[in-house]
Amino acid sequence: LTVDSRALDAQQLLEVIRSGKFADGTVWDPLHTALVESPVPVAGGGVADGLKADVIRNDPNRVEVKTVSTVPTILVLSANHYPGWRAYVDGQSVETLRVNYNLRGVALPAGNHEVSFVYFPKSVLIGGLISLSAASGLAFWYFGMSGQVRRLLQHRRGERI
């Protein structure tokens, strides 16, 4: 959990990461300051007491963390930011932040929270819909054709349809 953030463009982010210093010469401490692409309301500097983050679950497609904080913070995971990750704080969908150029994070208000990151890209949803449509089409075709074949065989044997 970090209590400070600095909004910088991509080039400035990389320069701070490479040099370890901001343009004004101050040293960047990644344990206390998150580098983000747009302003995030957090405590605004310094070190806050009572910050705690416990990873409860760490699966390939899901990460769950319980946090405790007396001030607004940014939870930073040491995991790559990648499209398709969705974040939830106390069950409510929130924006997933790109932190420190390529890490995943989320802004948190003060208090105790349950944070979930779930990987569910749109491509999986679209692929599932296409597969379901194809399977439905094949099922309709198969059962439709089997009925026609059955009627054709009954007709050839002289059975009543």
Side-chain angles (χ1 to χ4, degrees):
L1 293 172
T2 64
V3 294
D4 193 13
S5 69
R6 295 257 188 122
L8 305 168
D9 65 33
Q11 188 60 39
Q12 291 171 322
L13 279 166
L14 286 174
E15 186 57 37
V16 171
I17 291 169
R18 284 186 194 118
S19 69
K21 293 182 180 179
F22 292 103
D24 64 6
T26 58
V27 176
W28 171 52
D29 181 359
L31 295 177
H32 299 293
T33 304
L35 305 178
V36 293
E37 297 172 323
S38 58
V40 178
V42 290
V47 178
D49 293 327
L51 300 180
K52 185 177 180 184
D54 293 318
V55 177
I56 305 303
R57 181 176 176 183
N58 190 5
D59 295 337
N61 294 332
R62 184 178 199 89
V63 178
E64 294 178 2
V65 182
K66 285 191 177 185
T67 65
V68 176
S69 167
T70 57
V71 294
T73 59
I74 296 177
L75 171 65
V76 181
L77 296 183
S78 60
N80 287 339
H81 180 275
Y82 193 78
W85 280 99
R86 301 180 191 327
Y88 301 89
V89 175
D90 300 326
Q92 300 296 318
S93 180
V94 296
E95 179 187 4
T96 302
L97 301 174
R98 182 176 169 196
V99 182
N100 299 347
Y101 193 74
N102 198 32
L103 298 180
R104 195 174 340 135
V106 66
L108 297 171
N112 300 349
H113 301 287
E114 292 185 15
V115 182
S116 297
F117 291 90
V118 179
Y119 186 65
F120 191 74
K122 288 180 184 175
S123 60
V124 170
L125 180 62
I126 292 168
L129 290 173
I130 290 171
S131 297
L132 182 62
S133 297
S136 298
L138 286 172
F140 285 125
W141 176 80
Y142 174 77
F143 290 115
M145 290 301 289
S146 65
Q148 288 178 353
V149 169
R150 188 172 50 248
R151 283 191 293 274
L152 181 63
L153 290 176
Q154 288 173 344
H155 180 69
R156 285 194 175 173
R157 285 190 231 152
E159 297 176 9
R160 246 186 137 127
I161 301 177

